[in-house]
Amino acid sequence: MSDIRVRFAPSPTGYLHIGGLRTALYNYLFARQNGGKFILRIEDTDRTRFVEGALENLINSLKWAGVEYDEGVFLDESGKVVEKGDCGPYIQSVRQSQGIYDEYIEKLLESGHAYYCFCTKERLDNLREQQKSDGIIPRYDGLCRSVSLEEAKQRIANGEEYVIRLKLPVNTDIVVEDLVKGKIVINTNDMDDQVLIKSDGFPTYHFAVVVDDHLMGITHIVRGDEWLPSTPKHVYLYEAFGWDTPVFVHLPTVLNKFRKKLSKRNDDVSVDDFINQGYTAQGLVNYLALVGWSPEGNDEILSMDELIKQFSFNRVSKTGGIFDRDKLNWVNAHYIREMSDEDLASKIKPYLQEAKMIDDAYPQEKLNLLAATFKESLDRLMDITEQAAFLFEDKVEITEEDAIEYSSKDHVSDLASAFIEELSGIEEVDLEFAKTVMKKIQKQTGIKGKDLFMPVRALLTGKVHGPELVNVIELLGKDKLIKRLEGLK
């Protein structure tokens, strides 16, 4: 087999979709496993749907996820779009402006595999409506198939608007061999004469993708299964040009828990959504790899190197993969727990600052302690603001049933008084004080066990369960501790 070359070829019509990231990831894993090349190409022939900033977001999202590509479109240090590689340009609109597609459409016209179509939008709309009312699947009726090349060129010279269509053979089976879906046979009588060049001169996806994949030496086309119905047209184009057909791999759709395709209306779908919520790159990538693919063993926590080693299209599901947020949270929590306290502190800091809980003057030692205190309970980085909120409030509301019960016991005021007495003898709360104060209160009051720890925790946090009490005492500090205890002694 020739050197493997795969590509991820999105359109800059919005921010990178979670399903798109999975497609890019599978391309990347396959290329790295086989010592091949992974290319990023931008398919922007539909200029009406172009979204400003989408290209930059795409590149940054792939970089964040650690999905590295070898050729294509990059951002330089100044944020400017640049291209690297020997098969450029890697942006279709640039390729179109350089006339790359002109040569190949001329070949199809000359060989009779394509034809000029002069049908107006009004005629096509009327045809579609008539076919619908007749219960026929709407498709072009081939009116212009009989227009000769000479007549077509004369009509173009006269100023008639046109598109160029693929001229499919009649009643011919086209076979697609797909590594995931298996063998697929479609008859041309059930297909449409696809537009290859639009009236604005831009190539359609179906034409440009074939030309570009061939010229860039793509050996395996790995993409979402929404492109499967179009693949027979692409296979026929390869045959029409006399080119070798690449291997096709159509991936199952990423579905939500209701087994519906992920949608912006009902689901978080962009990679940015997950970045903003505080998912780690390792957690999201590890989990995404498992949505539609399964490793041979039982391990579900897999590093990028382990994914590269184990990945195989043989174990990709034929049906849609369910995106399970609970499972994602479980995987992500593993990677959060693996962080050092210092690393986690730097990552939770922006969330705490945005919530106005801390500012730049907040001591780094305390921030590190905060990270260590909540590390075991975080599924996402953003969870820190909810879990740590009680530390930054002036007053804690005790609403939990057990906490109300323990904070209402007869000896609670004695505990509060004893705690305040210990605080009055120090300048500030440090680790030594936090570690020893409960023993001192026990000795002073004679109260121990649950009757000691549960009421104190309830007074300080509003709950009877939670993070390490020693850490809570140190994080609250002297003034906040006294405030919370004074109202209840």
Side-chain angles (χ1 to χ4, degrees):
M1 181 186 290
S2 60
D3 290 343
I4 283 173
R5 288 174 62 82
V6 296
R7 50 61 167 184
F8 178 51
S11 299
T13 56
Y15 284 6
L16 180 60
H17 188 284
I18 204 74
L21 177 58
R22 191 195 61 172
T23 298
L25 174 63
Y26 284 7
N27 273 282
Y28 169 79
L29 296 176
F30 181 67
R32 290 293 176 267
Q33 186 185 80
N34 292 280
K37 297 291 185 184
F38 176 36
I39 294 103
L40 174 65
R41 186 175 73 228
I42 304 302
E43 301 190 340
D44 63 340
T45 55
D46 188 350
R47 304 303 293 173
T48 61
R49 297 178 62 219
F50 179 82
V51 173
E52 197 68 40
L55 176 54
E56 291 79 4
N57 171 267
L58 164 70
I59 294 171
N60 286 328
S61 295
L62 291 176
K63 183 178 180 180
W64 172 83
V67 178
E68 300 170 345
Y69 47 95
D70 305 289
E71 302 173 24
V73 183
F74 298 79
L75 295 178
D76 65 14
E77 291 180 0
S78 68
K80 181 182 176 183
V81 175
V82 295
E83 297 187 31
K84 298 176 187 176
D86 298 328
C87 296
Y90 294 91
I91 299 175
Q92 280 189 341
S93 59
V94 178
R95 295 173 70 79
Q96 190 270 343
S97 67
Q98 293 185 4
I100 288 174
Y101 304 110
D102 297 348
E103 170 189 351
Y104 296 96
I105 198 65
E106 283 300 322
K107 284 183 178 180
L108 291 180
L109 288 165
E110 293 293 338
S111 65
H113 290 102
Y115 62 95
Y116 291 100
C117 174
F118 300 92
C119 294
T120 63
K121 182 179 182 302
E122 182 182 12
R123 180 184 184 274
L124 295 174
D125 288 344
N126 290 337
L127 173 65
R128 191 177 299 110
E129 290 305 314
Q130 184 61 51
Q131 288 173 330
K132 282 182 181 178
S133 66
D134 292 342
I136 302 170
I137 296 173
R139 56 189 291 237
Y140 182 58
D141 61 358
L143 178 68
C144 293
R145 284 171 68 104
S146 59
V147 176
S148 69
L149 199 53
E150 184 180 2
E151 180 189 343
K153 288 183 176 179
Q154 183 59 54
R155 291 173 70 171
I156 292 168
N158 293 338
E160 281 193 57
E161 195 171 273
Y162 65 91
V163 299
I164 299 176
R165 291 182 181 272
L166 176 64
K167 193 172 190 176
L168 288 169
V170 177
N171 194 26
T172 302
D173 285 341
I174 296 179
V175 179
V176 178
E177 296 283 358
D178 189 278
L179 284 189
V180 172
K181 304 293 183 179
K183 184 177 180 179
I184 298 162
V185 181
I186 304 289
N187 191 278
T188 53
N189 286 356
D190 298 319
M191 296 164 60
D192 202 2
D193 281 359
Q194 179 70 48
V195 173
L196 302 178
I197 302 293
K198 296 177 285 187
S199 58
D200 60 6
F202 271 80
T204 60
Y205 167 83
H206 303 285
F207 179 58
V209 72
V210 170
V211 173
D212 290 344
D213 283 338
H214 172 73
L215 294 180
M216 293 183 185
I218 302 304
T219 60
H220 294 70
I221 295 175
V222 183
R223 60 190 179 191
D225 61 7
E226 66 269 20
W227 295 112
L228 192 58
S230 304
T231 303
K233 300 170 189 176
H234 303 167
V235 169
Y236 179 69
L237 275 171
Y238 279 99
E239 293 175 0
F241 281 120
W243 296 337
D244 289 340
T245 305
V247 177
F248 286 97
V249 186
H250 286 91
L251 305 174
T253 305
V254 179
L255 307 173
N256 64 21
K257 62 183 178 181
F258 304 110
R259 296 189 169 272
K260 302 291 185 183
K261 187 174 180 179
L262 288 177
S263 67
K264 290 180 183 178
R265 178 176 296 180
N266 301 315
D267 310 283
D268 293 323
V269 296
S270 81
V271 175
D272 265 13
D273 291 334
F274 294 89
I275 294 175
N276 293 337
Q277 290 169 28
Y279 287 95
T280 65
Q282 301 97 317
L284 185 60
V285 164
N286 184 162
Y287 175 68
L288 260 186
L290 303 174
V291 181
W293 169 80
S294 59
E296 286 192 18
N298 294 322
D299 290 341
E300 293 185 298
I301 300 298
L302 299 165
S303 68
M304 188 71 91
D305 286 343
E306 290 166 329
L307 287 171
I308 290 169
K309 186 177 179 181
Q310 294 198 37
F311 184 75
S312 167
F313 288 124
N314 293 333
R315 298 188 64 83
V316 171
S317 171
K318 289 180 170 63
T319 56
I322 305 297
F323 193 90
D324 182 340
R325 184 63 74 109
D326 291 337
K327 183 71 170 289
L328 168 61
N329 288 345
W330 176 80
V331 172
N332 197 62
H334 166 84
Y335 289 98
I336 289 178
R337 290 194 298 272
E338 281 199 333
M339 292 182 192
S340 68
D341 295 344
E342 292 75 17
D343 189 20
L344 180 56
S346 70
K347 286 181 166 56
I348 61 175
K349 185 176 181 179
Y351 295 93
L352 294 166
Q353 287 182 319
E354 187 179 353
K356 302 287 192 286
M357 292 180 177
I358 67 170
D359 56 24
D360 284 332
Y362 193 76
Q364 185 62 46
E365 299 77 16
K366 267 198 165 185
L367 190 58
N368 293 345
L369 178 59
L370 191 69
T373 302
F374 293 96
K375 182 188 287 186
E376 293 294 322
S377 61
L378 296 178
D379 291 336
R380 307 167 297 175
L381 298 173
M382 71 177 293
D383 294 342
I384 189 64
T385 56
E386 182 179 345
Q387 294 190 22
F390 73 90
L391 293 171
F392 301 94
E393 293 164 354
D394 290 332
K395 184 179 178 182
V396 169
E397 283 191 43
I398 303 174
T399 56
E400 193 181 68
E401 190 174 329
D402 288 344
I404 292 171
E405 180 185 342
Y406 274 103
S407 63
S408 303
K409 288 183 179 288
D410 293 339
H411 63 270
V412 168
S413 62
D414 294 337
L415 290 175
S417 295
F419 205 137
I420 290 171
E421 188 176 327
E422 293 296 331
L423 286 165
S424 66
I426 61 167
E427 287 291 326
E428 60 181 47
V429 173
D430 58 13
L431 180 59
E432 180 62 24
F433 176 87
K435 281 183 172 180
T436 59
V437 66
M438 296 303 287
K439 282 188 178 180
K440 291 176 181 177
I441 294 170
Q442 178 183 331
K443 188 175 181 180
Q444 187 182 146
T445 63
I447 302 165
K448 58 185 179 180
K450 281 188 175 182
D451 285 339
L452 168 64
F453 285 94
M454 292 298 196
V456 170
R457 183 182 284 279
L459 297 182
L460 299 183
T461 71
K463 297 180 180 180
V464 291
H465 299 288
E468 179 66 46
L469 190 58
V470 170
N471 292 12
V472 170
I473 291 170
E474 188 177 356
L475 285 165
L476 282 171
K478 182 177 178 178
D479 292 343
K480 272 204 168 85
L481 286 168
I482 290 173
K483 267 187 180 179
R484 295 184 184 199
L485 295 164
E486 275 187 335
L488 293 153
K489 67 179 181 178

